[in-house]
Amino acid sequence: MVILLYSQFLNRSEVQEDATLPKDLHPLVLEKKETLVKTAADSGISIIVTDEFRSFQEQDSLYQKGRTTDGQIVTHAKAGDSYHNFGLAIDFALLDKQGKALWDTAYDGNGNGKSDWMEVVAIAKELGFQWGGDWEHFKDFPHFEMRFGLTIDDLQRGKRPPQNSLTASKN
């Protein structure tokens, strides 16, 4: 196993420089999103991905909520300041038995005495996602992202992760 991982590390593609903006989720993020939904379902937890790739225009529109348009503030990230803008993030909600979206972190729909929300978080982390609920300043409980070792500054300068990478959860 160690030799296989080391071999894959040596043969992995390097970070792309001066790449164009993506138009969808990164292939590995897409794959892990689908695995998250299936693994949660296998545990008796229904979830829905409420947001994934966001264009800069969509990000700016969300940023205006609660500022210059009606509604509550839902993001502190302007266009280009979110991993969603680079296809590296998803947001989720639980689904109750009637199929209604819930953002209730205490809900136990599968009846195992554990928070379904935190069970989903554990699954996502196992898959390599970082959770917005772990952030120190602005807690973003529905948010998961894969950084591939790249900062927002890196992404803004045109760096992109390889199309398949073992380094998705690198800080």
Side-chain angles (χ1 to χ4, degrees):
M1 179 71 168
V2 172
I3 294 171
L4 172 64
L5 289 173
Y6 184 69
S7 170
Q8 288 176 335
F9 175 77
L10 289 177
N11 294 322
R12 74 179 175 90
S13 302
E14 292 303 314
V15 170
Q16 299 172 6
E17 301 280 342
D18 299 322
T20 59
L21 285 171
K23 293 184 168 89
D24 208 344
L25 282 180
H26 183 279
L28 184 61
V29 176
L30 176 63
E31 175 189 322
K32 298 299 182 175
K33 174 195 88 164
E34 292 169 354
T35 302
L36 174 66
V37 172
K38 182 184 180 326
T39 304
D42 291 347
S43 298
I45 303 169
S46 295
I47 65 171
I48 182 172
V49 173
T50 59
D51 209 353
E52 39 189 66
F53 172 80
R54 259 187 235 139
S55 70
F56 279 37
Q57 181 179 3
E58 290 168 319
Q59 188 70 37
D60 267 341
S61 180
L62 265 183
Y63 183 79
Q64 296 311 317
K65 275 188 156 186
R67 293 179 176 88
T68 59
T69 62
D70 290 339
Q72 292 184 308
I73 291 176
V74 294
T75 184
H76 292 284
K78 294 180 180 179
D81 290 339
S82 172
Y83 283 91
H84 285 283
N85 302 144
F86 301 96
L88 303 177
I90 62 172
D91 294 337
F92 84 102
L94 301 172
L95 293 174
D96 68 11
K97 304 224 183 296
Q98 292 73 39
K100 180 183 172 197
L102 301 173
W103 288 267
D104 180 351
T105 59
Y107 180 74
D108 181 20
N110 64 359
N112 67 355
K114 300 176 190 172
S115 155
D116 289 357
W117 195 276
M118 295 312 295
E119 288 184 78
V120 172
V121 167
I123 294 165
K125 286 181 175 184
E126 190 71 27
L127 293 171
F129 284 103
Q130 292 180 345
W131 179 44
D134 287 332
W135 297 345
E136 286 186 34
H137 301 290
F138 173 71
K139 303 277 186 190
D140 192 352
F141 293 102
H143 182 87
F144 297 123
E145 63 188 36
M146 290 186 172
R147 296 182 180 176
F148 297 87
L150 298 171
T151 66
I152 287 293
D153 286 342
D154 291 333
L155 294 165
Q156 290 171 342
R157 286 193 305 269
K159 291 185 179 183
R160 301 290 179 267
Q163 289 302 299
N164 53 22
S165 175
L166 294 175
T167 60
S169 61
K170 262 181 137 179
N171 289 334

